[in-house]
Each structure stands twice: as structure tokens, then as C-alpha cells.
Amino acid sequence: MKKLLPVALISLMFSSMAFAGSCPMLKSEVESKIAALDQTEHATLISIALMLHEEGVKAHDSGDHGMSEELLNGALRLLDV
């Protein structure tokens, strides 16, 4: 039992670090999708996606990686036109 507790704590620590690592990938994916869209034809979608992107980056910077992923994934879904 004494050996199980440290192993469990270490595995929890590494799993949270893995979550934090996906935010930058999602951020760059949103940026590349925005760059690929026609800026005049999809101006409203791009504006909303940029707002979600900005809030996602703020959430990531404050340590709320779950919210960051939700916001960035929302932007990606919006940009799938």
C-alpha cells in the first residue's frame, strides 16, 4: 500500500501535464484554419473564432486547461465550413 500511493500520485501528475500539452497544438490548429479561410467571405465566423481562441489562450495561461480545450475545440468546430 505504501508503494501504491506514490505511484498513483506520479501518474496523476503526468496525466495533468499531458492535458496541458494539447492546448498549444489546438491553438496553432485554430490559427492555421483561420489563415486558410477567405477573410471576406467568412468574416463573422473568423471574428467569433478569434474571440474563442483568445479566451482559450487566457484559460491556458491561467492554468484552466480543461476550459482552454473546450474553447479552442469550439473554435475549431466553428471553422469547419
PDB file of all heavy atoms in Angstrom, residues 10-20:
ATOM      1  N   ILE A  10       2.220  10.083  -8.854  1.00  0.00           N
ATOM      2  CA  ILE A  10       3.059  10.382 -10.017  1.00  0.00           C
ATOM      3  C   ILE A  10       2.266  10.234 -11.310  1.00  0.00           C
ATOM      4  O   ILE A  10       2.371  11.061 -12.209  1.00  0.00           O
ATOM      5  CB  ILE A  10       4.313   9.488 -10.021  1.00  0.00           C
ATOM      6  CG1 ILE A  10       5.246   9.924  -8.888  1.00  0.00           C
ATOM      7  CG2 ILE A  10       5.034   9.543 -11.360  1.00  0.00           C
ATOM      8  CD1 ILE A  10       6.423   8.999  -8.659  1.00  0.00           C
ATOM      9  N   SER A  11       1.435   9.201 -11.397  1.00  0.00           N
ATOM     10  CA  SER A  11       0.646   9.017 -12.618  1.00  0.00           C
ATOM     11  C   SER A  11      -0.371  10.145 -12.784  1.00  0.00           C
ATOM     12  O   SER A  11      -0.632  10.583 -13.905  1.00  0.00           O
ATOM     13  CB  SER A  11      -0.044   7.657 -12.622  1.00  0.00           C
ATOM     14  OG  SER A  11      -1.001   7.583 -11.596  1.00  0.00           O
ATOM     15  N   LEU A  12      -0.949  10.641 -11.703  1.00  0.00           N
ATOM     16  CA  LEU A  12      -1.866  11.778 -11.797  1.00  0.00           C
ATOM     17  C   LEU A  12      -1.136  13.032 -12.248  1.00  0.00           C
ATOM     18  O   LEU A  12      -1.654  13.816 -13.039  1.00  0.00           O
ATOM     19  CB  LEU A  12      -2.552  12.030 -10.451  1.00  0.00           C
ATOM     20  CG  LEU A  12      -3.636  11.059 -10.054  1.00  0.00           C
ATOM     21  CD1 LEU A  12      -4.098  11.337  -8.633  1.00  0.00           C
ATOM     22  CD2 LEU A  12      -4.800  11.134 -11.021  1.00  0.00           C
ATOM     23  N   MET A  13       0.075  13.216 -11.759  1.00  0.00           N
ATOM     24  CA  MET A  13       0.851  14.391 -12.134  1.00  0.00           C
ATOM     25  C   MET A  13       1.164  14.369 -13.636  1.00  0.00           C
ATOM     26  O   MET A  13       1.008  15.372 -14.323  1.00  0.00           O
ATOM     27  CB  MET A  13       2.152  14.437 -11.340  1.00  0.00           C
ATOM     28  CG  MET A  13       2.990  15.663 -11.629  1.00  0.00           C
ATOM     29  SD  MET A  13       4.487  15.724 -10.657  1.00  0.00           S
ATOM     30  CE  MET A  13       5.434  14.407 -11.393  1.00  0.00           C
ATOM     31  N   PHE A  14       1.581  13.223 -14.153  1.00  0.00           N
ATOM     32  CA  PHE A  14       1.914  13.134 -15.569  1.00  0.00           C
ATOM     33  C   PHE A  14       0.691  13.242 -16.468  1.00  0.00           C
ATOM     34  O   PHE A  14       0.766  13.795 -17.555  1.00  0.00           O
ATOM     35  CB  PHE A  14       2.683  11.850 -15.874  1.00  0.00           C
ATOM     36  CG  PHE A  14       4.108  11.895 -15.415  1.00  0.00           C
ATOM     37  CD1 PHE A  14       4.617  10.900 -14.605  1.00  0.00           C
ATOM     38  CD2 PHE A  14       4.937  12.933 -15.787  1.00  0.00           C
ATOM     39  CE1 PHE A  14       5.926  10.941 -14.178  1.00  0.00           C
ATOM     40  CE2 PHE A  14       6.253  12.992 -15.363  1.00  0.00           C
ATOM     41  CZ  PHE A  14       6.749  11.993 -14.551  1.00  0.00           C
ATOM     42  N   SER A  15      -0.455  12.770 -16.019  1.00  0.00           N
ATOM     43  CA  SER A  15      -1.660  12.883 -16.849  1.00  0.00           C
ATOM     44  C   SER A  15      -2.110  14.326 -16.952  1.00  0.00           C
ATOM     45  O   SER A  15      -2.592  14.760 -17.990  1.00  0.00           O
ATOM     46  CB  SER A  15      -2.780  12.005 -16.298  1.00  0.00           C
ATOM     47  OG  SER A  15      -3.212  12.469 -15.044  1.00  0.00           O
ATOM     48  N   SER A  16      -1.952  15.118 -15.893  1.00  0.00           N
ATOM     49  CA  SER A  16      -2.331  16.527 -15.979  1.00  0.00           C
ATOM     50  C   SER A  16      -1.365  17.293 -16.864  1.00  0.00           C
ATOM     51  O   SER A  16      -1.741  18.239 -17.543  1.00  0.00           O
ATOM     52  CB  SER A  16      -2.415  17.155 -14.587  1.00  0.00           C
ATOM     53  OG  SER A  16      -1.151  17.193 -13.979  1.00  0.00           O
ATOM     54  N   MET A  17      -0.106  16.879 -16.877  1.00  0.00           N
ATOM     55  CA  MET A  17       0.865  17.516 -17.763  1.00  0.00           C
ATOM     56  C   MET A  17       0.537  17.213 -19.220  1.00  0.00           C
ATOM     57  O   MET A  17       0.748  18.051 -20.090  1.00  0.00           O
ATOM     58  CB  MET A  17       2.277  17.052 -17.420  1.00  0.00           C
ATOM     59  CG  MET A  17       2.778  17.622 -16.116  1.00  0.00           C
ATOM     60  SD  MET A  17       4.318  16.906 -15.542  1.00  0.00           S
ATOM     61  CE  MET A  17       5.403  17.176 -16.906  1.00  0.00           C
ATOM     62  N   ALA A  18       0.000  16.060 -19.503  1.00  0.00           N
ATOM     63  CA  ALA A  18      -0.366  15.697 -20.872  1.00  0.00           C
ATOM     64  C   ALA A  18      -1.519  16.568 -21.350  1.00  0.00           C
ATOM     65  O   ALA A  18      -1.554  16.986 -22.497  1.00  0.00           O
ATOM     66  CB  ALA A  18      -0.741  14.232 -20.947  1.00  0.00           C
ATOM     67  N   PHE A  19      -2.483  16.845 -20.457  1.00  0.00           N
ATOM     68  CA  PHE A  19      -3.581  17.736 -20.820  1.00  0.00           C
ATOM     69  C   PHE A  19      -3.065  19.120 -21.174  1.00  0.00           C
ATOM     70  O   PHE A  19      -3.496  19.737 -22.128  1.00  0.00           O
ATOM     71  CB  PHE A  19      -4.567  17.872 -19.663  1.00  0.00           C
ATOM     72  CG  PHE A  19      -5.725  16.936 -19.741  1.00  0.00           C
ATOM     73  CD1 PHE A  19      -6.278  16.428 -18.582  1.00  0.00           C
ATOM     74  CD2 PHE A  19      -6.282  16.563 -20.941  1.00  0.00           C
ATOM     75  CE1 PHE A  19      -7.356  15.562 -18.620  1.00  0.00           C
ATOM     76  CE2 PHE A  19      -7.352  15.700 -20.997  1.00  0.00           C
ATOM     77  CZ  PHE A  19      -7.889  15.204 -19.835  1.00  0.00           C
ATOM     78  N   ALA A  20      -2.136  19.628 -20.388  1.00  0.00           N
ATOM     79  CA  ALA A  20      -1.611  20.967 -20.624  1.00  0.00           C
ATOM     80  C   ALA A  20      -0.890  21.042 -21.957  1.00  0.00           C
ATOM     81  O   ALA A  20      -0.836  22.095 -22.575  1.00  0.00           O
ATOM     82  CB  ALA A  20      -0.657  21.354 -19.491  1.00  0.00           C
TER      83      ALA A  20
END
